[in-house]
Amino acid sequence: MTEQDRTPSPTPPGATDARFTLAAERTMLAWLRTALGLIAAGVAVLHIVDDFGVTGSKTALGVSLVVLGALAALTGAWRWQRVNHVLDNGGQMPGPAAVWALTVAMVVIAAGFVIFV
């Protein structure tokens, strides 16, 4: 083996440190865990919880949780793809708008439970 064989090759342009890629993947998995929890809560409301006092409120709240869970999964996947693209090619990271939208939607649904239950 020559000295040249032992010298590590320089990092190719655009190569991303694996730690950043794995961190982005862990964040995406957190979005999926949140989505799964919201979907499970929605299914529980629809199939386990007794009817609320207002007609249709149980269905509206349950379906809202399931839809919000699906949107959280889609948003997490989009953000993960966007972050990986930015890590590889440069550019701006996704902003906090999706996080704020999910937060506001969860607060609205929580208010629905307080009002209707």
Side-chain angles (χ1 to χ4, degrees):
M1 226 180 194
T2 66
E3 181 67 31
Q4 187 178 14
D5 292 334
R6 287 183 286 219
T7 305
S9 61
T11 305
T16 305
D17 188 335
R19 293 174 293 180
F20 297 117
T21 303
L22 294 173
E25 184 177 349
R26 284 190 302 273
T27 302
M28 194 283 213
L29 292 172
W31 278 89
L32 288 180
R33 283 190 303 272
T34 300
L36 181 61
L38 289 166
I39 292 169
V43 170
V45 167
L46 290 170
H47 296 286
I48 297 173
V49 175
D50 292 331
D51 284 335
F52 300 150
V54 178
T55 305
S57 60
K58 173 181 153 181
T59 302
L61 290 171
V63 169
S64 296
L65 285 167
V66 171
V67 168
L68 185 60
L71 290 174
L74 290 171
T75 303
W78 174 82
R79 286 177 62 89
W80 179 53
Q81 183 275 331
R82 179 73 184 126
V83 166
N84 280 334
H85 179 77
V86 168
L87 288 173
D88 289 340
N89 304 311
Q92 293 227 346
M93 296 292 263
V99 176
W100 279 110
L102 180 65
T103 302
V104 169
M106 290 177 72
V107 168
V108 168
I109 292 172
F113 275 102
V114 169
I115 292 168
F116 294 119
V117 175

